[in-house]
Amino acid sequence: MWQDLDTLTSSAVNSGSQQADQFSTTELTPEQQKILIDIRRKKTELLLEIQQLKDELGEVVAEMEVMEGGGFTVDESNKPSNKTKQTSIGRKKFNMDPKKGIEYLIEHNLLTPTPEDVAQFLYKGEGLNKTAIGDYLGERHDFNERVLRAFVELHDFTDLILVQALRQFLWSFRLPGEAQKIDRMMECFAQRYCQLNPNIFTNTDTCYVLSFAIIMLNTSLHNPSVKDKPSVEQFITMNRGINNGGDLPRELLVSLYESIKTEPFKIPEDDGNDLMHTFFNPDKEGWLWKQGGRYKSWKRRWFILNDNCLYYFEYTTDKEPRGIIPLENIQVREVQDRHKPHCFELYAAGSEFIKACKTDSEGKVVEGKHTVYRMSAATDEEKDEWIKCVRQSISHNPFYDMLAARKKKAQKTNLHSKS
């Protein structure tokens, strides 16, 4: 595997060098020469990153192969050491593939195959990646769901206000990206909170909806790209009628609002870069030409489609996107353009501007003023694939559908029970 990567890296360097030798820069304008120098610099940086990543992966794989290869004795004095090493292997396997990690630990008698024992292991979290914990807990398998319930039961939310309980819960793992997984996890949280604090909410649906309202409030108050910060009155209005048709006490909502305003949620960061979690397993990614808004020039950008958002970068090595286009109230269509082939565009459905943001030349986040975003793909097949994937992302948004359904359920009155 590593030889293949070496060959690939070497051939890329050699190919680039040969092309550079055959290419005369005197034919280029000064601006084109500057762009070429920048491209070569970025290429060098990318090759260095590939080499560094290869070295790091090589070290991990080599270490695991040595540890698994039976390279240690089995006499009595070494047994505790062997167990420690096998536990270390199991944790590393879990961080790379949670299911295989748990299977390895069970096979080597380091975990018993019970939901309670696995939940205790995840709750302690020693050496475990919190993103991997969230992915495992969110899986829709009978055993995983029983582990999730056991995991939530290890949390003690007694006499905690809802914000405090959420702080504790959301620090023990990272919420996964899929809506169905989030739904199952927050459902378990709401049930546990109401079980331990029976006199606060009339039903778990109210707790569920309010928990999401708090999470969204945290984002609105502390995300720099959100310009209009909600007031306490707006937060109260947003949660009217969710307590089985009635309103929650004003003082409760005010205390929740003030708690979030004073101290935002701390989100576990396993990789030091929150965006890497978002972009690790995208729905689609690739190069597209994007037409500018004010000036109709075309620029090549690296696009990533994930979590109902379209992100674009100047280079694939960039750590943060140049722009973010949420796929809300947006449609996509194929268009013809006399300057570029294979074009499609995103356009606002029922609103004047597309709700998007980008970074300006000074690195500040500013609100986009696009009514359409026009892109050009390399081939007709690529264009069709992008349109298909964007449409799927637009139409398939179960997170908001489930939250809306739960809110509607929480707002129902007791008329049925009274009749």
Side-chain angles (χ1 to χ4, degrees):
M1 175 182 171
W2 307 121
Q3 290 175 345
D4 293 341
L5 191 51
D6 279 331
T7 304
L8 181 64
T9 306
S10 301
S11 64
V13 173
N14 294 334
S15 173
S17 301
Q18 289 167 6
Q19 289 174 9
D21 291 340
Q22 296 167 6
F23 187 75
S24 174
T25 58
T26 57
E27 301 172 7
L28 302 176
T29 66
E31 183 164 347
Q32 288 172 332
Q33 289 182 22
K34 184 180 177 184
I35 292 171
L36 181 61
I37 290 169
D38 195 46
I39 289 171
R40 286 173 175 168
R41 179 178 61 80
K42 285 290 182 181
K43 177 182 174 183
T44 303
E45 290 175 1
L46 181 58
L47 290 172
L48 287 172
E49 285 191 22
I50 290 172
Q51 184 63 42
Q52 184 181 359
L53 186 61
K54 188 197 82 169
D55 292 343
E56 290 175 0
L57 284 171
E59 288 175 10
V60 172
V61 171
E63 183 183 345
M64 290 176 66
E65 285 175 350
V66 169
M67 294 165 89
E68 285 191 276
F72 27 83
T73 58
V74 293
D75 59 77
E76 291 300 316
S77 62
N78 271 346
K79 278 189 177 178
S81 177
N82 291 352
K83 185 177 179 181
T84 301
K85 288 180 179 180
Q86 287 177 336
T87 302
S88 177
I89 293 171
R91 286 173 180 151
K92 288 180 180 179
K93 282 183 176 289
F94 178 87
N95 292 338
M96 295 170 75
D97 186 324
K99 182 182 176 183
K100 288 182 179 178
I102 295 298
E103 287 174 351
Y104 176 90
L105 291 164
I106 291 173
E107 285 169 10
H108 289 79
N109 299 316
L110 299 166
L111 280 179
T112 58
T114 64
E116 292 74 21
D117 201 27
V118 174
Q120 188 71 244
F121 172 72
L122 300 180
Y123 183 73
K124 287 179 180 176
E126 294 173 9
L128 301 183
N129 179 294
K130 292 192 177 184
T131 299
I133 295 174
D135 286 338
Y136 185 85
L137 292 172
E139 284 296 327
R140 191 173 185 175
H141 298 294
D142 181 59
F143 185 77
N144 294 67
E145 290 184 0
R146 284 188 285 144
V147 171
L148 171 61
R149 287 193 290 272
F151 179 85
V152 175
E153 285 174 6
L154 290 170
H155 290 77
D156 185 5
F157 304 133
T158 307
D159 296 330
L160 295 182
I161 65 168
L162 191 57
V163 171
Q164 294 171 329
L166 278 169
R167 289 189 199 282
Q168 182 191 133
F169 185 58
L170 296 177
W171 183 250
S172 61
F173 66 98
R174 287 197 66 171
L175 276 172
E178 296 97 308
Q180 292 93 340
K181 290 185 178 183
I182 295 174
D183 180 62
R184 285 192 291 276
M185 298 166 98
M186 295 305 293
E187 171 73 26
C188 279
F189 166 79
Q191 289 175 351
R192 176 66 172 166
Y193 185 83
C194 290
Q195 174 196 353
L196 297 173
N197 302 277
N199 300 319
I200 297 179
F201 303 110
T202 56
N203 56 56
T204 57
D205 291 316
T206 301
C207 182
Y208 176 104
V209 172
L210 185 58
S211 297
F212 269 113
I214 291 169
I215 293 170
M216 290 188 282
L217 175 68
N218 180 77
T219 302
S220 300
L221 288 178
H222 299 289
N223 189 327
S225 65
V226 179
K227 287 188 174 182
D228 298 322
K229 306 298 183 186
S231 67
V232 66
E233 293 301 328
Q234 287 173 316
F235 181 66
I236 291 169
T237 301
M238 184 175 71
N239 290 292
R240 278 197 180 134
I242 67 169
N243 195 25
N244 213 22
D247 293 342
L248 290 166
R250 178 184 174 87
E251 58 272 18
L252 170 66
L253 295 175
V254 170
S255 70
L256 297 175
Y257 179 92
E258 291 299 331
S259 178
I260 287 296
K261 185 178 180 181
T262 304
E263 184 185 354
F265 282 133
K266 292 178 181 177
I267 305 299
E269 293 188 8
D270 291 314
D271 47 26
N273 185 353
D274 190 45
L275 290 170
M276 289 305 294
H277 174 64
T278 303
F279 306 137
F280 185 70
N281 189 23
D283 297 328
K284 180 157 180 64
E285 61 183 332
W287 289 105
L288 291 170
W289 288 89
K290 184 182 81 70
Q291 190 179 53
R294 184 179 302 175
Y295 308 106
K296 299 300 179 184
S297 57
W298 291 86
K299 293 182 179 177
R300 194 165 179 254
R301 295 287 183 252
W302 180 257
F303 279 80
I304 289 180
L305 174 66
N306 203 29
D307 289 338
N308 303 104
C309 280
L310 194 59
Y311 305 84
Y312 59 90
F313 301 75
E314 190 169 356
Y315 304 103
T316 56
T317 52
D318 288 349
K319 297 292 186 274
E320 295 188 12
R322 289 292 301 271
I324 304 173
I325 310 169
L327 299 178
E328 296 176 18
N329 300 317
I330 280 181
Q331 299 295 326
V332 60
R333 63 192 170 198
E334 183 179 352
V335 291
Q336 301 297 320
D337 191 287
R338 58 195 179 94
H339 298 293
K340 286 283 182 183
H342 321 304
C343 286
F344 65 96
E345 65 183 19
L346 306 176
Y347 63 97
S351 59
E352 187 179 349
F353 292 112
I354 293 174
K355 292 180 181 178
C357 63
K358 62 180 180 178
T359 51
D360 62 13
S361 57
E362 298 176 355
K364 294 178 181 176
V365 177
V366 296
E367 201 171 322
K369 297 293 183 183
H370 285 253
T371 54
V372 298
Y373 280 86
R374 180 168 293 189
M375 272 76 79
S376 168
T379 65
D380 211 42
E381 292 76 16
E382 270 290 292
K383 175 205 67 183
D384 291 341
E385 182 66 19
W386 272 106
I387 291 174
K388 174 187 165 188
C389 290
V390 170
R391 278 185 178 148
Q392 285 177 342
S393 189
I394 290 169
S395 60
H396 184 65
N397 195 348
F399 173 81
Y400 292 104
D401 293 342
M402 287 189 294
L403 186 55
R406 190 64 66 100
K407 190 167 186 177
K408 189 175 180 181
K409 187 178 175 186
Q411 288 174 332
K412 285 183 179 178
T413 64
N414 278 324
L415 290 175
H416 205 58
S417 59
K418 289 179 181 177
S419 58

